Amino acid sequence: MSALSAPHFHNEEAAYAYVEARIWPEGPVCPHCGGCERISKMGGASTRIGTYKCYQCRKPFTVKVGTIFEASHVAMRLWLQAMYLMAASKKGISSQQLHRTLGVTLKTAWFMSHRIRLAMENGGDWTLGGEGKIVEADETYFGKTDDMRGVKPAKPNPKKKGRTKKNIRPIIALVERGGIAKVFHVKNADKATVSALVMANVHPDTRLHTDESRLYTGADQVFATHETVRHIAKEYARGDVTTNTVEGFFSVFKRGMRGVYQHCSEKHLNRYVSEFGFRYNNRIALGVNDLARADNLLSGVVGKRLTYRTAREQV
C-alpha cells in the first residue's frame, strides 16, 4: 500500500485530526491565551473544519494559528502531501514539481516550500560529540554572492594555484560520526568565524577531525584531540582519521542544489541548508523512515510564521 494512500493525505477532516494529534498530544491549547481547560469544538453547519473556541478568552482558533500554516488558504491535506514529499526526497523537490504534483500555482508551491524549510530549522543549543566521540568539521562553497551574480570572472592568475574563495558563499558543516549534523551558511569563512562556530557547537571532550585547512589551527588546545588528513598529499584516511562523513553530506547537498534546485538566492540559502540538515538528522541510518521523518517535521511547525512579503524581501 502506498504511503500516500493514508486518509490524512486525501480527507480534510482526517488531515486536521492528524496534525492536531501531533501538535496537541494532550488536547487543544488556545494559541491566544494559552488556556487548555475551557475549550470546545465548534460544530455549526457553516463552521470551518477544525475550529475550536476558548471560553477563557472567548476567541475561536484552529491548529493552524501560530504555525507555518497560519493564514494559508491551501487545504491541510495538500500541506501534508507537500511535507511528506519534501521530507522523503533525499535531494529535495523543486517548486515546479510541487506545483505540478499538488495542482497549486507555482507561486503557492514556492511559498509552501519555504514555509516547510522554516519548520526544518533547528535552533537548539545542543552540542555535538562528547567523550570518546568524533566530530568532523569542513567547509564548502556554493554559488556566487548576490552582488557578484552576472559578473564575468577575472582571468585566473597562473602564479596562484587552486581556486579563490572570494565572492562565493561559504557553508560550514559539523557532523558527529554516526550521529547528527549542524550546518551553517556564514558571510565569511575566516578563522575567527569558523573557530567560534566550532567551539560553540562541539563538546570540548570531542576528537575533532578536519583537513589541513588553516581555519582549524589551534583546535588541539580546545578539544581532546585535533587530527587532520592531508588532502593536498592525496591522503583521505589514516586509520579512523578522516573527513569522509562530512564530505558525504556535502556531496548530497551539492547534488540537490545543482540538480534539483539549480538556483538559490543567497538570502534564502540558510533555509536550504536547514532542509538538507534536517533530512540528514532524520535519516534511515538513525532509524527514521519517511513517515517518521514527516512526523518529526510536523513537530517544528509551531511558533514559526513566514509571510510572503518576508520570504521575498528577507536578507
Side-chain angles (χ1 to χ4, degrees), residues 240-266:
D240 68 346
V241 181
T242 181
T243 57
N244 289 344
T245 309
V246 65
E247 287 166 9
F249 171 84
F250 282 142
S251 173
V252 173
F253 171 76
K254 288 185 175 181
R255 286 167 191 247
M257 295 301 293
R258 290 171 178 161
V260 176
Y261 295 125
Q262 299 180 23
H263 165 71
C264 168
S265 175
E266 186 174 13

Short mmCIF file of all heavy atoms in Angstrom, two decimals, residues 240-266:
data_model
loop_
_atom_site.label_atom_id
_atom_site.label_comp_id
_atom_site.label_asym_id
_atom_site.label_seq_id
_atom_site.Cartn_x
_atom_site.Cartn_y
_atom_site.Cartn_z
N ASP A 240 41.25 5.70 11.66
CA ASP A 240 39.88 6.22 11.72
C ASP A 240 39.84 7.74 11.55
O ASP A 240 38.79 8.36 11.72
CB ASP A 240 39.21 5.82 13.03
CG ASP A 240 39.83 6.51 14.25
OD1 ASP A 240 40.93 7.10 14.11
OD2 ASP A 240 39.21 6.46 15.33
N VAL A 241 40.98 8.33 11.19
CA VAL A 241 41.03 9.77 10.97
C VAL A 241 40.64 10.06 9.52
O VAL A 241 41.34 9.68 8.58
CB VAL A 241 42.43 10.33 11.26
CG1 VAL A 241 42.45 11.84 11.04
CG2 VAL A 241 42.86 9.98 12.67
N THR A 242 39.51 10.73 9.34
CA THR A 242 39.01 11.04 8.00
C THR A 242 37.95 12.12 8.09
O THR A 242 37.38 12.37 9.16
CB THR A 242 38.41 9.78 7.33
OG1 THR A 242 37.94 10.11 6.03
CG2 THR A 242 37.26 9.22 8.15
N THR A 243 37.69 12.75 6.96
CA THR A 243 36.57 13.71 6.88
C THR A 243 35.57 13.23 5.83
O THR A 243 34.79 14.02 5.30
CB THR A 243 37.08 15.12 6.51
OG1 THR A 243 37.80 15.05 5.26
CG2 THR A 243 37.97 15.68 7.60
N ASN A 244 35.56 11.92 5.56
CA ASN A 244 34.68 11.38 4.53
C ASN A 244 33.20 11.54 4.86
O ASN A 244 32.37 11.68 3.97
CB ASN A 244 34.99 9.90 4.28
CG ASN A 244 36.33 9.71 3.59
OD1 ASN A 244 36.88 10.65 3.03
ND2 ASN A 244 36.87 8.50 3.64
N THR A 245 32.86 11.53 6.14
CA THR A 245 31.45 11.64 6.52
C THR A 245 30.90 13.02 6.18
O THR A 245 29.84 13.16 5.57
CB THR A 245 31.27 11.37 8.03
OG1 THR A 245 31.92 10.14 8.37
CG2 THR A 245 29.80 11.28 8.39
N VAL A 246 31.62 14.06 6.59
CA VAL A 246 31.14 15.42 6.31
C VAL A 246 31.19 15.70 4.81
O VAL A 246 30.32 16.40 4.27
CB VAL A 246 31.94 16.46 7.12
CG1 VAL A 246 33.40 16.51 6.70
CG2 VAL A 246 31.30 17.84 6.99
N GLU A 247 32.16 15.14 4.11
CA GLU A 247 32.21 15.33 2.67
C GLU A 247 31.07 14.60 1.97
O GLU A 247 30.57 15.05 0.94
CB GLU A 247 33.57 14.88 2.13
CG GLU A 247 34.69 15.85 2.50
CD GLU A 247 36.07 15.27 2.30
OE1 GLU A 247 36.16 14.18 1.71
OE2 GLU A 247 37.04 15.91 2.73
N GLY A 248 30.64 13.48 2.55
CA GLY A 248 29.46 12.78 2.02
C GLY A 248 28.21 13.63 2.16
O GLY A 248 27.36 13.65 1.27
N PHE A 249 28.09 14.35 3.29
CA PHE A 249 26.96 15.26 3.46
C PHE A 249 27.00 16.35 2.39
O PHE A 249 25.98 16.66 1.76
CB PHE A 249 26.99 15.89 4.85
CG PHE A 249 25.98 16.99 5.03
CD1 PHE A 249 24.67 16.69 5.36
CD2 PHE A 249 26.33 18.32 4.81
CE1 PHE A 249 23.72 17.71 5.50
CE2 PHE A 249 25.39 19.33 4.94
CZ PHE A 249 24.09 19.01 5.28
N PHE A 250 28.17 16.94 2.17
CA PHE A 250 28.28 18.00 1.16
C PHE A 250 27.97 17.47 -0.24
O PHE A 250 27.44 18.19 -1.08
CB PHE A 250 29.68 18.60 1.19
CG PHE A 250 29.90 19.59 2.30
CD1 PHE A 250 31.12 19.64 2.96
CD2 PHE A 250 28.90 20.46 2.69
CE1 PHE A 250 31.34 20.55 3.99
CE2 PHE A 250 29.11 21.38 3.71
CZ PHE A 250 30.33 21.42 4.36
N SER A 251 28.30 16.20 -0.49
CA SER A 251 28.04 15.61 -1.80
C SER A 251 26.54 15.59 -2.09
O SER A 251 26.09 15.98 -3.17
CB SER A 251 28.60 14.18 -1.85
OG SER A 251 28.23 13.53 -3.04
N VAL A 252 25.74 15.14 -1.11
CA VAL A 252 24.29 15.11 -1.29
C VAL A 252 23.74 16.53 -1.41
O VAL A 252 22.89 16.82 -2.26
CB VAL A 252 23.62 14.37 -0.11
CG1 VAL A 252 22.10 14.47 -0.21
CG2 VAL A 252 24.05 12.92 -0.08
N PHE A 253 24.24 17.44 -0.60
CA PHE A 253 23.80 18.84 -0.63
C PHE A 253 24.04 19.45 -2.01
O PHE A 253 23.13 20.07 -2.60
CB PHE A 253 24.55 19.64 0.43
CG PHE A 253 24.34 21.12 0.35
CD1 PHE A 253 23.16 21.70 0.80
CD2 PHE A 253 25.32 21.95 -0.17
CE1 PHE A 253 22.95 23.07 0.72
CE2 PHE A 253 25.14 23.33 -0.25
CZ PHE A 253 23.94 23.88 0.19
N LYS A 254 25.21 19.28 -2.57
CA LYS A 254 25.53 19.90 -3.85
C LYS A 254 24.77 19.24 -5.00
O LYS A 254 24.36 19.92 -5.94
CB LYS A 254 27.04 19.83 -4.11
CG LYS A 254 27.82 20.78 -3.22
CD LYS A 254 29.29 20.80 -3.57
CE LYS A 254 30.05 21.84 -2.75
NZ LYS A 254 31.49 21.88 -3.10
N ARG A 255 24.57 17.93 -4.92
CA ARG A 255 23.80 17.26 -5.98
C ARG A 255 22.36 17.78 -5.99
O ARG A 255 21.76 17.96 -7.04
CB ARG A 255 23.82 15.74 -5.77
CG ARG A 255 25.14 15.09 -6.12
CD ARG A 255 25.20 13.66 -5.61
NE ARG A 255 26.56 13.13 -5.70
CZ ARG A 255 26.92 12.16 -6.52
NH1 ARG A 255 26.02 11.63 -7.33
NH2 ARG A 255 28.15 11.72 -6.52
N GLY A 256 21.81 17.99 -4.79
CA GLY A 256 20.46 18.52 -4.71
C GLY A 256 20.37 19.96 -5.18
O GLY A 256 19.46 20.33 -5.94
N MET A 257 21.31 20.78 -4.74
CA MET A 257 21.27 22.20 -5.10
C MET A 257 21.50 22.41 -6.59
O MET A 257 20.88 23.29 -7.21
CB MET A 257 22.30 22.97 -4.29
CG MET A 257 22.03 23.00 -2.79
SD MET A 257 20.43 23.73 -2.35
CE MET A 257 20.67 25.43 -2.84
N ARG A 258 22.39 21.61 -7.17
CA ARG A 258 22.69 21.80 -8.59
C ARG A 258 21.71 21.06 -9.49
O ARG A 258 21.33 21.56 -10.55
CB ARG A 258 24.11 21.33 -8.88
CG ARG A 258 25.18 22.23 -8.29
CD ARG A 258 26.56 21.61 -8.41
NE ARG A 258 27.59 22.49 -7.89
CZ ARG A 258 28.81 22.08 -7.54
NH1 ARG A 258 29.14 20.81 -7.66
NH2 ARG A 258 29.70 22.94 -7.07
N GLY A 259 21.32 19.87 -9.08
CA GLY A 259 20.48 19.04 -9.94
C GLY A 259 18.99 19.28 -9.80
O GLY A 259 18.25 19.13 -10.77
N VAL A 260 18.55 19.64 -8.59
CA VAL A 260 17.11 19.82 -8.35
C VAL A 260 16.74 21.30 -8.31
O VAL A 260 15.87 21.77 -9.04
CB VAL A 260 16.68 19.12 -7.04
CG1 VAL A 260 15.20 19.39 -6.75
CG2 VAL A 260 16.93 17.63 -7.13
N TYR A 261 17.41 22.07 -7.45
CA TYR A 261 17.03 23.47 -7.27
C TYR A 261 17.70 24.40 -8.28
O TYR A 261 17.14 25.42 -8.65
CB TYR A 261 17.35 23.91 -5.84
CG TYR A 261 16.52 23.16 -4.82
CD1 TYR A 261 17.10 22.46 -3.79
CD2 TYR A 261 15.13 23.15 -4.93
CE1 TYR A 261 16.33 21.76 -2.86
CE2 TYR A 261 14.36 22.46 -4.01
CZ TYR A 261 14.96 21.77 -2.99
OH TYR A 261 14.20 21.08 -2.10
N GLN A 262 18.92 24.07 -8.67
CA GLN A 262 19.64 24.77 -9.74
C GLN A 262 20.02 26.21 -9.40
O GLN A 262 21.15 26.62 -9.64
CB GLN A 262 18.84 24.72 -11.04
CG GLN A 262 18.60 23.30 -11.53
CD GLN A 262 17.81 23.22 -12.80
OE1 GLN A 262 17.77 24.16 -13.58
NE2 GLN A 262 17.18 22.09 -13.03
N HIS A 263 19.10 26.98 -8.84
CA HIS A 263 19.43 28.35 -8.45
C HIS A 263 18.87 28.64 -7.07
O HIS A 263 17.77 28.22 -6.73
CB HIS A 263 18.85 29.37 -9.43
CG HIS A 263 18.85 30.77 -8.90
ND1 HIS A 263 20.03 31.49 -8.74
CD2 HIS A 263 17.87 31.57 -8.44
CE1 HIS A 263 19.73 32.69 -8.22
NE2 HIS A 263 18.43 32.75 -8.02
N CYS A 264 19.67 29.33 -6.26
CA CYS A 264 19.22 29.71 -4.92
C CYS A 264 19.81 31.08 -4.60
O CYS A 264 21.02 31.27 -4.62
CB CYS A 264 19.68 28.68 -3.89
SG CYS A 264 19.50 29.23 -2.19
N SER A 265 18.94 32.03 -4.30
CA SER A 265 19.40 33.35 -3.89
C SER A 265 20.09 33.25 -2.54
O SER A 265 19.72 32.43 -1.70
CB SER A 265 18.21 34.31 -3.81
OG SER A 265 18.61 35.56 -3.32
N GLU A 266 21.09 34.08 -2.33
CA GLU A 266 21.85 34.00 -1.08
C GLU A 266 20.97 34.25 0.14
O GLU A 266 21.17 33.66 1.20
CB GLU A 266 23.01 35.00 -1.10
CG GLU A 266 23.91 34.87 0.12
CD GLU A 266 25.14 35.76 0.03
OE1 GLU A 266 25.17 36.64 -0.85
OE2 GLU A 266 26.07 35.55 0.83
#
